[in-house]
Amino acid sequence: MLFRSLSVSLASRDAEILLSSRRGRAARFLGSKIREMGRVARGVRGMRPREGDAVVDLTVLPPVGVTHLVTVTEKGYGKRTPVGDYPTKNRGTGGVLDIATDGRNGDVVGAAAVESGDQLLLITDTGRVIRMRVDDIREVGRRTRGVRLMRLGDDERIVAIERITAATVEALGGIGSEEAAPPEPEGDEVVEVVGEADDDGDDGDDGEAEE
């Protein structure tokens, strides 16, 4: 089986790690659960995706600062949920249900830990970009379908998201924050999704690779 590197991020041992999967699940665990290893180490299991699923994003949750997780799907839907709604468990779990990935939403593209004042860029496979204030995204609970964030053309898909921190917005003089588009009002639908049971996981597989 072939594996590829997905994301790299700096994290302190008192931070927490949240992994998001393509099929709308999220696994949160303590950074201290990942032991220090050498450069060529194989690493340890962070999340155990179910068959047909895969990890699509890595989010570091610092001890202070961020308050919400924004999850975005390829068909332009998403939601903003308090980070407290995501339980901290062992690493190596299958995760808890975060957002529905049905025919309306499509698969998860990415997730971002945000705080009030941040902005979010959504980028499509046709090269279109939209920027919005995260405070304009409706706050909803976990296990929901979310609301429309961006109206897409036929066969157009969101392929990437990027957080712009409130500090960056302020340092750049607002970067035209008055032009940041609010989410599309039409099609908003917040429906709780009944998912499969969550699991507590295990400590995963440790090991170091050879040079």
Side-chain angles (χ1 to χ4, degrees):
M1 182 179 295
L2 297 178
F3 299 91
R4 67 180 179 88
S5 296
L6 174 69
S7 181
V8 177
S9 183
L10 294 173
S12 62
R13 289 187 62 82
D14 57 351
E16 295 188 63
I17 309 299
L18 192 146
L19 301 179
S20 301
S21 83
R22 181 169 55 216
R23 297 292 174 83
R25 302 190 73 85
R28 178 180 180 179
F29 54 91
L30 298 174
S32 58
K33 291 289 186 179
I34 305 176
R35 65 183 179 85
E36 294 184 7
M37 303 180 189
R39 178 176 55 82
V40 297
R42 294 175 57 194
V44 296
R45 187 188 299 277
M47 184 179 188
R48 190 185 298 273
R50 303 180 181 196
E51 184 175 356
D53 200 1
V55 174
V56 295
D57 213 345
L58 157 70
T59 304
V60 175
L61 304 176
V64 295
V66 298
T67 57
H68 292 78
L69 185 77
V70 174
T71 306
V72 180
T73 68
E74 61 181 349
K75 292 188 178 181
Y77 290 84
K79 65 187 184 68
R80 180 171 62 102
T81 302
V83 294
D85 284 9
Y86 299 87
T88 301
K89 299 190 176 184
N90 291 330
R91 60 176 176 81
T93 73
V96 296
L97 185 60
D98 179 22
I99 190 171
T101 53
D102 51 16
R104 189 200 74 162
N105 285 1
D107 290 339
V108 171
V109 171
V114 299
E115 60 184 323
S116 181
D118 287 353
Q119 295 185 10
L120 193 70
L121 290 177
L122 306 182
I123 306 163
T124 77
D125 57 0
T126 64
R128 289 203 302 138
V129 178
I130 189 173
R131 179 167 51 84
M132 64 184 62
R133 304 179 188 87
V134 299
D135 293 329
D136 290 337
I137 302 174
R138 184 186 303 176
E139 179 181 310
V140 296
R142 197 169 55 77
R143 305 168 70 100
T144 55
R145 298 179 71 199
V147 299
R148 187 194 297 274
L149 302 181
M150 183 177 185
R151 187 174 299 278
L152 303 175
D154 294 341
D155 299 323
E156 186 178 22
R157 295 290 184 270
I158 293 176
V159 295
I161 69 172
E162 186 66 34
R163 173 197 182 195
I164 306 175
T165 66
T168 299
V169 173
E170 182 178 0
L172 296 179
I175 55 175
S177 59
E178 69 282 353
E179 300 175 1
E184 290 275 358
E186 184 177 345
D188 282 3
E189 185 180 1
V190 181
V191 178
E192 183 172 355
V193 178
V194 178
E196 299 176 19
D198 302 330
D199 65 88
D200 292 328
D202 52 40
D203 282 337
D205 300 323
D206 294 345
E208 299 212 359
E210 300 178 356
E211 292 274 9

